[in-house]
Amino acid sequence: MADAKSGELMEKIVSLCKRKGFIFQSSEIYGGLNGFWDYGPLGADLKRNVKEAWWNRMTRMRDDIAGLDATIIMHPRIWKASGHVDTFTDPMVDCKTCKGRFRADQVHEIPCPQKPSKMVCECHGEKTEARPFNLMFETTVGPIRSDDNIAYLRPETAQAIFVQFKNVLETARQKVPFGIAQVGKAFRNEVTPRNFTFRSREFEQMELEFFIKPDEAVEAICGSVAVPSAPGHPGEPRPDWGWKMWHQYWVEERIRFYEEIGLPRTTLEEYWQKPAELAHYARATVDLLFKFPFGTQELEGIAARSDFDLSQHQRFCGKPMTVFDEELKAAWPRLDAPKQESLKQQYLQSRLNYLVRAGEEKEKAEAQAKADAEALGKGYYVPHVIEPSAGVDRLTLALLCNAYSEDQAPDEKGKMETRIVMRLHPRIAPVKVAVFPLLKNKPELVRKALEVRDLLRPHMPVFYDEAGAIGRRYRRQDEGGTPFGITVDFDTLGEKGPDLKDTVTLRERDSMRQERVRIADLPSILMDKIR
């Protein structure tokens, strides 16, 4: 549990989020709805910037990843194939004293009724026996409410990627290895939403499914399979990479992304799940954790999911999810017979293990695995996948927590006072620059300030503010995370000489340093700073 100091910090962050328009309680005027949150003016832009940064990094800066935007409601058999219908549950208990309902594995972190989703308290009341609780939201499709029309709000975005795998592969003119990225809403009927927006019932995910060749195919084509020899980023992808190299690559790529938007590596922890913790289909999973005020918690998981997902949908829909690999077909005849047999046996065993775990009868599983191994020699296989899956809302909260800062700064009279600063990276800050006329009752200053605003608007989000003392205006923007401020004063009008005419004061949020720059140079100067 978080200590009192951390709890106080979280209270300050939650208060600021409402005061500045980052995040509001959903349905607040009706008493709120636990587990649901609305993003205000600043929060909406911050969240949009996070998603845009992720999308740019994943799709626009790479040739080997294509995008997808799938529906929230899909065919219910998809969730049967994925295992969500049967196994997507949390253990739930009721408290006989306070009448609360909680996850059985979190009874020591029961949300305090007086401070929902912010703090935690301990309830020592007697609990009922734990029972499973499915986390999916049910709905019906069509005019008649019946069991035949049951559908679900998706609990994750990943399954749509697997279902559309073949369509994207063909239309995007990709070949393995390649990825499909998606950003979108997901819904989980959490037993105990808590810790502000960290665990919510409606949230957004940024997920990548990166499809790779099975190691047997890599070995057949390249002669060997590269495996990690040292920690850290393994460099640019190579044809001989096996799943271990691809997994390490995506762990490091994701950390690089966090560093680029203002979360230093020192704020993150890598947790490599132990064998007993892994999902039955996973070969390895790394959780990237962030040190929130309420504890170190998961931001993203990067999982090596083998060929489980595509194989499951192949079994349930009856349509092949295999790909044809020209390189593999061409390489296979060049292998000697013992090597061919060895790779076939490895692949056969891998496919057999999956089929047995999936519940196929032994005889049928053996026949199917043998057929799959024979198909490998002809250039066919079911791709494996590496899945980096991140939560938009969790990341946005992490950025807010990391950015919150208090320091000392002089007021208009030179007296030191506490300044609250949101040190958001310029790349993801909601507003990039604020423009101020020194005085609002001087039309010539206001007119010039509006010209500066309009000059910058095509390039970046700009906020214009003429109300109050200039120091107060700076403080308001500091609290909202605006990295730069521009003041138009009498020097701008040339009243102190021609050398300063058409120049303004550019102020930097974190250091409060000011410099005089020409108005004409502002777009290029600021664009360099916010990239």
Side-chain angles (χ1 to χ4, degrees), residues 308-352:
F308 171 79
D309 300 284
L310 291 180
S311 296
Q312 280 291 95
H313 289 296
Q314 179 172 270
R315 286 180 60 240
F316 274 77
C317 74
K319 297 179 176 63
M321 290 292 178
T322 54
V323 298
F324 174 66
D325 193 316
E326 286 276 7
E327 288 183 301
L328 176 58
K329 183 183 178 182
W332 195 263
R334 297 195 291 267
L335 302 174
D336 58 36
K339 187 66 170 180
Q340 289 180 350
E341 186 60 26
S342 173
L343 292 176
K344 275 187 180 182
Q345 287 301 314
Q346 290 178 41
Y347 194 66
L348 185 153
Q349 191 59 51
S350 173
R351 295 297 296 161
L352 181 60

mmCIF file of all heavy atoms in Angstrom, residues 308-352:
data_model
loop_
_atom_site.group_PDB
_atom_site.id
_atom_site.type_symbol
_atom_site.label_atom_id
_atom_site.label_comp_id
_atom_site.label_asym_id
_atom_site.label_seq_id
_atom_site.Cartn_x
_atom_site.Cartn_y
_atom_site.Cartn_z
ATOM 1 N N PHE A 308 -0.304 -19.399 -30.930
ATOM 2 C CA PHE A 308 -1.575 -19.743 -30.284
ATOM 3 C C PHE A 308 -2.771 -19.008 -30.893
ATOM 4 O O PHE A 308 -3.797 -19.618 -31.209
ATOM 5 C CB PHE A 308 -1.488 -19.440 -28.784
ATOM 6 C CG PHE A 308 -2.799 -19.563 -28.063
ATOM 7 C CD1 PHE A 308 -3.299 -20.798 -27.692
ATOM 8 C CD2 PHE A 308 -3.547 -18.423 -27.759
ATOM 9 C CE1 PHE A 308 -4.515 -20.909 -27.028
ATOM 10 C CE2 PHE A 308 -4.756 -18.528 -27.090
ATOM 11 C CZ PHE A 308 -5.236 -19.780 -26.730
ATOM 12 N N ASP A 309 -2.671 -17.693 -31.067
ATOM 13 C CA ASP A 309 -3.835 -16.898 -31.430
ATOM 14 C C ASP A 309 -4.358 -17.235 -32.820
ATOM 15 O O ASP A 309 -5.557 -17.483 -33.005
ATOM 16 C CB ASP A 309 -3.494 -15.408 -31.329
ATOM 17 C CG ASP A 309 -3.068 -15.022 -29.932
ATOM 18 O OD1 ASP A 309 -3.937 -14.903 -29.049
ATOM 19 O OD2 ASP A 309 -1.861 -14.876 -29.702
ATOM 20 N N LEU A 310 -3.477 -17.222 -33.806
ATOM 21 C CA LEU A 310 -3.925 -17.558 -35.155
ATOM 22 C C LEU A 310 -4.393 -19.006 -35.223
ATOM 23 O O LEU A 310 -5.350 -19.332 -35.939
ATOM 24 C CB LEU A 310 -2.808 -17.307 -36.165
ATOM 25 C CG LEU A 310 -2.444 -15.831 -36.410
ATOM 26 C CD1 LEU A 310 -1.317 -15.725 -37.427
ATOM 27 C CD2 LEU A 310 -3.656 -15.029 -36.881
ATOM 28 N N SER A 311 -3.728 -19.885 -34.499
ATOM 29 C CA SER A 311 -4.131 -21.296 -34.498
ATOM 30 C C SER A 311 -5.526 -21.475 -33.917
ATOM 31 O O SER A 311 -6.331 -22.280 -34.409
ATOM 32 C CB SER A 311 -3.132 -22.133 -33.702
ATOM 33 O OG SER A 311 -1.860 -22.121 -34.317
ATOM 34 N N GLN A 312 -5.825 -20.749 -32.843
ATOM 35 C CA GLN A 312 -7.152 -20.847 -32.248
ATOM 36 C C GLN A 312 -8.241 -20.422 -33.225
ATOM 37 O O GLN A 312 -9.274 -21.089 -33.361
ATOM 38 C CB GLN A 312 -7.230 -19.980 -30.990
ATOM 39 C CG GLN A 312 -6.617 -20.610 -29.757
ATOM 40 C CD GLN A 312 -7.417 -21.797 -29.252
ATOM 41 O OE1 GLN A 312 -7.121 -22.946 -29.580
ATOM 42 N NE2 GLN A 312 -8.444 -21.531 -28.457
ATOM 43 N N HIS A 313 -8.026 -19.313 -33.902
ATOM 44 C CA HIS A 313 -9.042 -18.852 -34.846
ATOM 45 C C HIS A 313 -9.126 -19.779 -36.058
ATOM 46 O O HIS A 313 -10.214 -19.953 -36.623
ATOM 47 C CB HIS A 313 -8.759 -17.408 -35.254
ATOM 48 C CG HIS A 313 -9.016 -16.433 -34.152
ATOM 49 N ND1 HIS A 313 -10.285 -16.224 -33.625
ATOM 50 C CD2 HIS A 313 -8.179 -15.628 -33.446
ATOM 51 C CE1 HIS A 313 -10.211 -15.331 -32.662
ATOM 52 N NE2 HIS A 313 -8.948 -14.953 -32.519
ATOM 53 N N GLN A 314 -8.015 -20.372 -36.433
ATOM 54 C CA GLN A 314 -8.046 -21.358 -37.514
ATOM 55 C C GLN A 314 -8.926 -22.549 -37.123
ATOM 56 O O GLN A 314 -9.729 -23.045 -37.928
ATOM 57 C CB GLN A 314 -6.617 -21.822 -37.825
ATOM 58 C CG GLN A 314 -6.520 -22.863 -38.919
ATOM 59 C CD GLN A 314 -5.080 -23.133 -39.294
ATOM 60 O OE1 GLN A 314 -4.530 -22.503 -40.172
ATOM 61 N NE2 GLN A 314 -4.458 -24.095 -38.608
ATOM 62 N N ARG A 315 -8.795 -23.005 -35.881
ATOM 63 C CA ARG A 315 -9.603 -24.142 -35.409
ATOM 64 C C ARG A 315 -11.085 -23.786 -35.340
ATOM 65 O O ARG A 315 -11.944 -24.580 -35.719
ATOM 66 C CB ARG A 315 -9.139 -24.577 -34.012
ATOM 67 C CG ARG A 315 -7.828 -25.329 -33.974
ATOM 68 C CD ARG A 315 -7.455 -25.707 -32.548
ATOM 69 N NE ARG A 315 -8.462 -26.565 -31.940
ATOM 70 C CZ ARG A 315 -9.142 -26.258 -30.837
ATOM 71 N NH1 ARG A 315 -8.947 -25.118 -30.216
ATOM 72 N NH2 ARG A 315 -10.024 -27.106 -30.339
ATOM 73 N N PHE A 316 -11.401 -22.602 -34.832
ATOM 74 C CA PHE A 316 -12.801 -22.261 -34.585
ATOM 75 C C PHE A 316 -13.550 -21.815 -35.833
ATOM 76 O O PHE A 316 -14.751 -22.036 -35.940
ATOM 77 C CB PHE A 316 -12.882 -21.166 -33.509
ATOM 78 C CG PHE A 316 -12.879 -21.712 -32.111
ATOM 79 C CD1 PHE A 316 -11.700 -22.165 -31.528
ATOM 80 C CD2 PHE A 316 -14.056 -21.790 -31.373
ATOM 81 C CE1 PHE A 316 -11.686 -22.673 -30.235
ATOM 82 C CE2 PHE A 316 -14.048 -22.303 -30.082
ATOM 83 C CZ PHE A 316 -12.866 -22.761 -29.509
ATOM 84 N N CYS A 317 -12.854 -21.148 -36.769
ATOM 85 C CA CYS A 317 -13.562 -20.667 -37.959
ATOM 86 C C CYS A 317 -13.437 -21.623 -39.133
ATOM 87 O O CYS A 317 -14.195 -21.530 -40.106
ATOM 88 C CB CYS A 317 -13.070 -19.286 -38.366
ATOM 89 S SG CYS A 317 -11.426 -19.252 -39.143
ATOM 90 N N GLY A 318 -12.472 -22.559 -39.055
ATOM 91 C CA GLY A 318 -12.305 -23.533 -40.123
ATOM 92 C C GLY A 318 -11.614 -22.993 -41.355
ATOM 93 O O GLY A 318 -11.588 -23.657 -42.400
ATOM 94 N N LYS A 319 -11.018 -21.808 -41.251
ATOM 95 C CA LYS A 319 -10.309 -21.212 -42.387
ATOM 96 C C LYS A 319 -8.822 -21.144 -42.067
ATOM 97 O O LYS A 319 -8.429 -20.879 -40.935
ATOM 98 C CB LYS A 319 -10.857 -19.816 -42.687
ATOM 99 C CG LYS A 319 -12.314 -19.825 -43.117
ATOM 100 C CD LYS A 319 -12.818 -18.425 -43.386
ATOM 101 C CE LYS A 319 -14.248 -18.444 -43.911
ATOM 102 N NZ LYS A 319 -15.198 -18.989 -42.943
ATOM 103 N N PRO A 320 -7.946 -21.380 -43.069
ATOM 104 C CA PRO A 320 -6.509 -21.435 -42.795
ATOM 105 C C PRO A 320 -5.938 -20.071 -42.420
ATOM 106 O O PRO A 320 -6.275 -19.056 -43.036
ATOM 107 C CB PRO A 320 -5.917 -21.938 -44.117
ATOM 108 C CG PRO A 320 -6.904 -21.543 -45.159
ATOM 109 C CD PRO A 320 -8.250 -21.633 -44.500
ATOM 110 N N MET A 321 -5.093 -20.066 -41.432
ATOM 111 C CA MET A 321 -4.349 -18.874 -41.041
ATOM 112 C C MET A 321 -2.859 -19.032 -41.361
ATOM 113 O O MET A 321 -2.030 -18.289 -40.852
ATOM 114 C CB MET A 321 -4.544 -18.598 -39.546
ATOM 115 C CG MET A 321 -5.943 -18.130 -39.190
ATOM 116 S SD MET A 321 -6.295 -16.491 -39.849
ATOM 117 C CE MET A 321 -7.999 -16.282 -39.320
ATOM 118 N N THR A 322 -2.558 -20.021 -42.191
ATOM 119 C CA THR A 322 -1.176 -20.233 -42.613
ATOM 120 C C THR A 322 -0.779 -19.209 -43.673
ATOM 121 O O THR A 322 -1.629 -18.622 -44.341
ATOM 122 C CB THR A 322 -0.999 -21.641 -43.198
ATOM 123 O OG1 THR A 322 -1.970 -21.835 -44.240
ATOM 124 C CG2 THR A 322 -1.173 -22.705 -42.149
ATOM 125 N N VAL A 323 0.524 -18.978 -43.777
ATOM 126 C CA VAL A 323 1.061 -18.152 -44.857
ATOM 127 C C VAL A 323 1.985 -19.006 -45.714
ATOM 128 O O VAL A 323 2.516 -20.028 -45.255
ATOM 129 C CB VAL A 323 1.845 -16.937 -44.309
ATOM 130 C CG1 VAL A 323 0.938 -16.032 -43.490
ATOM 131 C CG2 VAL A 323 3.039 -17.373 -43.454
ATOM 132 N N PHE A 324 2.150 -18.606 -46.957
ATOM 133 C CA PHE A 324 3.089 -19.274 -47.847
ATOM 134 C C PHE A 324 4.345 -18.428 -47.928
ATOM 135 O O PHE A 324 4.296 -17.239 -48.211
ATOM 136 C CB PHE A 324 2.498 -19.449 -49.238
ATOM 137 C CG PHE A 324 3.464 -20.012 -50.235
ATOM 138 C CD1 PHE A 324 3.942 -21.317 -50.098
ATOM 139 C CD2 PHE A 324 3.926 -19.243 -51.294
ATOM 140 C CE1 PHE A 324 4.843 -21.837 -51.008
ATOM 141 C CE2 PHE A 324 4.821 -19.751 -52.204
ATOM 142 C CZ PHE A 324 5.286 -21.048 -52.067
ATOM 143 N N ASP A 325 5.486 -19.057 -47.666
ATOM 144 C CA ASP A 325 6.771 -18.365 -47.611
ATOM 145 C C ASP A 325 7.656 -18.859 -48.749
ATOM 146 O O ASP A 325 8.151 -19.986 -48.720
ATOM 147 C CB ASP A 325 7.425 -18.623 -46.254
ATOM 148 C CG ASP A 325 8.600 -17.698 -45.981
ATOM 149 O OD1 ASP A 325 9.415 -17.506 -46.899
ATOM 150 O OD2 ASP A 325 8.700 -17.199 -44.847
ATOM 151 N N GLU A 326 7.865 -18.013 -49.753
ATOM 152 C CA GLU A 326 8.679 -18.385 -50.912
ATOM 153 C C GLU A 326 10.107 -18.741 -50.513
ATOM 154 O O GLU A 326 10.707 -19.683 -51.042
ATOM 155 C CB GLU A 326 8.706 -17.240 -51.926
ATOM 156 C CG GLU A 326 7.422 -17.052 -52.707
ATOM 157 C CD GLU A 326 7.339 -17.986 -53.912
ATOM 158 O OE1 GLU A 326 8.215 -18.855 -54.037
ATOM 159 O OE2 GLU A 326 6.386 -17.839 -54.692
ATOM 160 N N GLU A 327 10.658 -17.972 -49.574
ATOM 161 C CA GLU A 327 12.033 -18.229 -49.131
ATOM 162 C C GLU A 327 12.154 -19.610 -48.510
ATOM 163 O O GLU A 327 13.133 -20.329 -48.751
ATOM 164 C CB GLU A 327 12.469 -17.161 -48.120
ATOM 165 C CG GLU A 327 12.725 -15.795 -48.702
ATOM 166 C CD GLU A 327 13.220 -14.828 -47.649
ATOM 167 O OE1 GLU A 327 12.488 -14.606 -46.654
ATOM 168 O OE2 GLU A 327 14.344 -14.312 -47.791
ATOM 169 N N LEU A 328 11.158 -19.972 -47.701
ATOM 170 C CA LEU A 328 11.187 -21.281 -47.058
ATOM 171 C C LEU A 328 11.071 -22.400 -48.089
ATOM 172 O O LEU A 328 11.808 -23.398 -48.036
ATOM 173 C CB LEU A 328 10.052 -21.383 -46.035
ATOM 174 C CG LEU A 328 9.884 -22.725 -45.333
ATOM 175 C CD1 LEU A 328 11.161 -23.135 -44.602
ATOM 176 C CD2 LEU A 328 8.695 -22.692 -44.372
ATOM 177 N N LYS A 329 10.170 -22.245 -49.038
ATOM 178 C CA LYS A 329 10.000 -23.277 -50.071
ATOM 179 C C LYS A 329 11.284 -23.462 -50.871
ATOM 180 O O LYS A 329 11.681 -24.593 -51.196
ATOM 181 C CB LYS A 329 8.852 -22.907 -51.008
ATOM 182 C CG LYS A 329 8.589 -23.972 -52.064
ATOM 183 C CD LYS A 329 7.496 -23.554 -53.023
ATOM 184 C CE LYS A 329 7.282 -24.621 -54.090
ATOM 185 N NZ LYS A 329 6.259 -24.230 -55.086
ATOM 186 N N ALA A 330 11.955 -22.339 -51.197
ATOM 187 C CA ALA A 330 13.185 -22.415 -51.980
ATOM 188 C C ALA A 330 14.337 -23.002 -51.171
ATOM 189 O O ALA A 330 15.209 -23.704 -51.714
ATOM 190 C CB ALA A 330 13.561 -21.027 -52.488
ATOM 191 N N ALA A 331 14.358 -22.735 -49.855
ATOM 192 C CA ALA A 331 15.470 -23.186 -49.012
ATOM 193 C C ALA A 331 15.354 -24.666 -48.651
ATOM 194 O O ALA A 331 16.383 -25.339 -48.460
ATOM 195 C CB ALA A 331 15.531 -22.346 -47.736
ATOM 196 N N TRP A 332 14.139 -25.169 -48.525
ATOM 197 C CA TRP A 332 13.940 -26.530 -48.020
ATOM 198 C C TRP A 332 14.668 -27.606 -48.838
ATOM 199 O O TRP A 332 15.338 -28.465 -48.248
ATOM 200 C CB TRP A 332 12.447 -26.839 -47.933
ATOM 201 C CG TRP A 332 12.147 -28.050 -47.111
ATOM 202 C CD1 TRP A 332 11.932 -29.324 -47.550
ATOM 203 C CD2 TRP A 332 12.069 -28.106 -45.685
ATOM 204 N NE1 TRP A 332 11.709 -30.176 -46.505
ATOM 205 C CE2 TRP A 332 11.783 -29.452 -45.334
ATOM 206 C CE3 TRP A 332 12.201 -27.164 -44.673
ATOM 207 C CZ2 TRP A 332 11.632 -29.858 -44.016
ATOM 208 C CZ3 TRP A 332 12.045 -27.578 -43.363
ATOM 209 C CH2 TRP A 332 11.763 -28.905 -43.039
ATOM 210 N N PRO A 333 14.590 -27.597 -50.189
ATOM 211 C CA PRO A 333 15.267 -28.656 -50.952
ATOM 212 C C PRO A 333 16.786 -28.645 -50.806
ATOM 213 O O PRO A 333 17.447 -29.660 -51.068
ATOM 214 C CB PRO A 333 14.861 -28.362 -52.407
ATOM 215 C CG PRO A 333 13.610 -27.546 -52.301
ATOM 216 C CD PRO A 333 13.791 -26.727 -51.077
ATOM 217 N N ARG A 334 17.342 -27.511 -50.374
ATOM 218 C CA ARG A 334 18.799 -27.406 -50.221
ATOM 219 C C ARG A 334 19.290 -28.024 -48.914
ATOM 220 O O ARG A 334 20.502 -28.183 -48.708
ATOM 221 C CB ARG A 334 19.242 -25.942 -50.306
ATOM 222 C CG ARG A 334 18.962 -25.292 -51.665
ATOM 223 C CD ARG A 334 19.731 -23.997 -51.818
ATOM 224 N NE ARG A 334 19.242 -22.952 -50.936
ATOM 225 C CZ ARG A 334 18.329 -22.042 -51.277
ATOM 226 N NH1 ARG A 334 17.809 -22.072 -52.509
ATOM 227 N NH2 ARG A 334 17.935 -21.112 -50.432
ATOM 228 N N LEU A 335 18.370 -28.350 -48.020
ATOM 229 C CA LEU A 335 18.745 -28.978 -46.751
ATOM 230 C C LEU A 335 18.962 -30.464 -46.962
ATOM 231 O O LEU A 335 18.270 -31.099 -47.768
ATOM 232 C CB LEU A 335 17.644 -28.766 -45.707
ATOM 233 C CG LEU A 335 17.253 -27.317 -45.386
ATOM 234 C CD1 LEU A 335 16.057 -27.306 -44.442
ATOM 235 C CD2 LEU A 335 18.419 -26.550 -44.792
ATOM 236 N N ASP A 336 19.900 -31.045 -46.207
ATOM 237 C CA ASP A 336 20.054 -32.501 -46.313
ATOM 238 C C ASP A 336 18.912 -33.189 -45.569
ATOM 239 O O ASP A 336 18.203 -32.565 -44.763
ATOM 240 C CB ASP A 336 21.419 -32.949 -45.789
ATOM 241 C CG ASP A 336 21.678 -32.558 -44.343
ATOM 242 O OD1 ASP A 336 20.716 -32.582 -43.540
ATOM 243 O OD2 ASP A 336 22.829 -32.223 -43.999
ATOM 244 N N ALA A 337 18.724 -34.466 -45.846
ATOM 245 C CA ALA A 337 17.579 -35.206 -45.299
ATOM 246 C C ALA A 337 17.524 -35.192 -43.778
ATOM 247 O O ALA A 337 16.441 -34.989 -43.192
ATOM 248 C CB ALA A 337 17.592 -36.644 -45.831
ATOM 249 N N PRO A 338 18.659 -35.410 -43.068
ATOM 250 C CA PRO A 338 18.595 -35.370 -41.597
ATOM 251 C C PRO A 338 18.129 -34.011 -41.058
ATOM 252 O O PRO A 338 17.395 -33.948 -40.071
ATOM 253 C CB PRO A 338 20.026 -35.683 -41.166
ATOM 254 C CG PRO A 338 20.604 -36.453 -42.311
ATOM 255 C CD PRO A 338 19.998 -35.852 -43.531
ATOM 256 N N LYS A 339 18.592 -32.929 -41.707
ATOM 257 C CA LYS A 339 18.195 -31.597 -41.252
ATOM 258 C C LYS A 339 16.703 -31.388 -41.486
ATOM 259 O O LYS A 339 15.996 -30.840 -40.624
ATOM 260 C CB LYS A 339 18.988 -30.528 -42.005
ATOM 261 C CG LYS A 339 18.767 -29.102 -41.477
ATOM 262 C CD LYS A 339 19.319 -28.959 -40.071
ATOM 263 C CE LYS A 339 19.331 -27.525 -39.606
ATOM 264 N NZ LYS A 339 19.859 -27.390 -38.235
ATOM 265 N N GLN A 340 16.219 -31.791 -42.651
ATOM 266 C CA GLN A 340 14.791 -31.679 -42.929
ATOM 267 C C GLN A 340 13.971 -32.437 -41.876
ATOM 268 O O GLN A 340 12.980 -31.912 -41.352
ATOM 269 C CB GLN A 340 14.471 -32.242 -44.319
ATOM 270 C CG GLN A 340 14.970 -31.394 -45.468
ATOM 271 C CD GLN A 340 14.615 -32.007 -46.811
ATOM 272 O OE1 GLN A 340 14.156 -33.145 -46.892
ATOM 273 N NE2 GLN A 340 14.833 -31.252 -47.888
ATOM 274 N N GLU A 341 14.404 -33.648 -41.569
ATOM 275 C CA GLU A 341 13.665 -34.453 -40.606
ATOM 276 C C GLU A 341 13.705 -33.839 -39.215
ATOM 277 O O GLU A 341 12.697 -33.841 -38.485
ATOM 278 C CB GLU A 341 14.239 -35.869 -40.574
ATOM 279 C CG GLU A 341 13.454 -36.860 -39.717
ATOM 280 C CD GLU A 341 12.022 -37.034 -40.185
ATOM 281 O OE1 GLU A 341 11.745 -36.826 -41.386
ATOM 282 O OE2 GLU A 341 11.163 -37.367 -39.340
ATOM 283 N N SER A 342 14.880 -33.301 -38.847
ATOM 284 C CA SER A 342 15.011 -32.679 -37.527
ATOM 285 C C SER A 342 14.072 -31.477 -37.390
ATOM 286 O O SER A 342 13.374 -31.330 -36.370
ATOM 287 C CB SER A 342 16.461 -32.225 -37.312
ATOM 288 O OG SER A 342 16.583 -31.483 -36.120
ATOM 289 N N LEU A 343 14.030 -30.606 -38.396
ATOM 290 C CA LEU A 343 13.172 -29.427 -38.334
ATOM 291 C C LEU A 343 11.699 -29.828 -38.354
ATOM 292 O O LEU A 343 10.868 -29.228 -37.663
ATOM 293 C CB LEU A 343 13.485 -28.479 -39.494
ATOM 294 C CG LEU A 343 14.857 -27.804 -39.440
ATOM 295 C CD1 LEU A 343 15.092 -26.956 -40.682
ATOM 296 C CD2 LEU A 343 14.992 -26.942 -38.184
ATOM 297 N N LYS A 344 11.373 -30.848 -39.150
ATOM 298 C CA LYS A 344 9.994 -31.331 -39.178
ATOM 299 C C LYS A 344 9.551 -31.835 -37.806
ATOM 300 O O LYS A 344 8.442 -31.554 -37.337
ATOM 301 C CB LYS A 344 9.847 -32.461 -40.202
ATOM 302 C CG LYS A 344 9.599 -32.007 -41.620
ATOM 303 C CD LYS A 344 9.299 -33.223 -42.489
ATOM 304 C CE LYS A 344 9.042 -32.826 -43.928
ATOM 305 N NZ LYS A 344 8.710 -33.990 -44.779
ATOM 306 N N GLN A 345 10.433 -32.586 -37.159
ATOM 307 C CA GLN A 345 10.085 -33.129 -35.848
ATOM 308 C C GLN A 345 9.916 -32.022 -34.808
ATOM 309 O O GLN A 345 9.021 -32.082 -33.959
ATOM 310 C CB GLN A 345 11.145 -34.137 -35.395
ATOM 311 C CG GLN A 345 11.090 -35.462 -36.141
ATOM 312 C CD GLN A 345 9.730 -36.143 -35.966
ATOM 313 O OE1 GLN A 345 9.183 -36.234 -34.873
ATOM 314 N NE2 GLN A 345 9.179 -36.631 -37.087
ATOM 315 N N GLN A 346 10.778 -30.996 -34.870
ATOM 316 C CA GLN A 346 10.641 -29.873 -33.948
ATOM 317 C C GLN A 346 9.299 -29.172 -34.148
ATOM 318 O O GLN A 346 8.589 -28.851 -33.192
ATOM 319 C CB GLN A 346 11.777 -28.870 -34.167
ATOM 320 C CG GLN A 346 13.148 -29.352 -33.731
ATOM 321 C CD GLN A 346 14.221 -28.321 -34.038
ATOM 322 O OE1 GLN A 346 14.015 -27.119 -33.861
ATOM 323 N NE2 GLN A 346 15.357 -28.779 -34.512
ATOM 324 N N TYR A 347 8.971 -28.936 -35.411
ATOM 325 C CA TYR A 347 7.723 -28.238 -35.712
ATOM 326 C C TYR A 347 6.517 -29.109 -35.360
ATOM 327 O O TYR A 347 5.511 -28.614 -34.822
ATOM 328 C CB TYR A 347 7.687 -27.847 -37.191
ATOM 329 C CG TYR A 347 6.601 -26.838 -37.514
ATOM 330 C CD1 TYR A 347 6.647 -25.543 -37.010
ATOM 331 C CD2 TYR A 347 5.522 -27.183 -38.318
ATOM 332 C CE1 TYR A 347 5.657 -24.611 -37.295
ATOM 333 C CE2 TYR A 347 4.518 -26.267 -38.619
ATOM 334 C CZ TYR A 347 4.601 -24.986 -38.101
ATOM 335 O OH TYR A 347 3.601 -24.071 -38.386
ATOM 336 N N LEU A 348 6.615 -30.400 -35.660
ATOM 337 C CA LEU A 348 5.540 -31.337 -35.318
ATOM 338 C C LEU A 348 5.271 -31.323 -33.824
ATOM 339 O O LEU A 348 4.119 -31.277 -33.382
ATOM 340 C CB LEU A 348 5.906 -32.739 -35.793
ATOM 341 C CG LEU A 348 4.834 -33.841 -35.634
ATOM 342 C CD1 LEU A 348 5.034 -34.933 -36.696
ATOM 343 C CD2 LEU A 348 4.857 -34.486 -34.257
ATOM 344 N N GLN A 349 6.326 -31.355 -33.030
ATOM 345 C CA GLN A 349 6.156 -31.381 -31.582
ATOM 346 C C GLN A 349 5.535 -30.087 -31.071
ATOM 347 O O GLN A 349 4.676 -30.086 -30.179
ATOM 348 C CB GLN A 349 7.503 -31.612 -30.893
ATOM 349 C CG GLN A 349 7.390 -31.929 -29.410
ATOM 350 C CD GLN A 349 6.561 -33.181 -29.147
ATOM 351 O OE1 GLN A 349 6.791 -34.231 -29.735
ATOM 352 N NE2 GLN A 349 5.560 -33.074 -28.268
ATOM 353 N N SER A 350 5.964 -28.961 -31.664
ATOM 354 C CA SER A 350 5.408 -27.671 -31.277
ATOM 355 C C SER A 350 3.912 -27.605 -31.578
ATOM 356 O O SER A 350 3.105 -27.176 -30.742
ATOM 357 C CB SER A 350 6.137 -26.544 -32.022
ATOM 358 O OG SER A 350 5.519 -25.302 -31.784
ATOM 359 N N ARG A 351 3.528 -28.048 -32.776
ATOM 360 C CA ARG A 351 2.116 -28.034 -33.147
ATOM 361 C C ARG A 351 1.308 -29.033 -32.312
ATOM 362 O O ARG A 351 0.175 -28.754 -31.928
ATOM 363 C CB ARG A 351 1.968 -28.360 -34.637
ATOM 364 C CG ARG A 351 2.573 -27.331 -35.573
ATOM 365 C CD ARG A 351 1.902 -25.994 -35.452
ATOM 366 N NE ARG A 351 0.503 -26.052 -35.858
ATOM 367 C CZ ARG A 351 -0.420 -25.158 -35.535
ATOM 368 N NH1 ARG A 351 -0.107 -24.143 -34.757
ATOM 369 N NH2 ARG A 351 -1.661 -25.283 -35.955
ATOM 370 N N LEU A 352 1.906 -30.178 -32.011
ATOM 371 C CA LEU A 352 1.219 -31.183 -31.204
ATOM 372 C C LEU A 352 0.956 -30.657 -29.795
ATOM 373 O O LEU A 352 -0.133 -30.844 -29.238
ATOM 374 C CB LEU A 352 2.041 -32.468 -31.150
ATOM 375 C CG LEU A 352 1.431 -33.629 -30.349
ATOM 376 C CD1 LEU A 352 0.085 -34.047 -30.938
ATOM 377 C CD2 LEU A 352 2.395 -34.807 -30.309
#
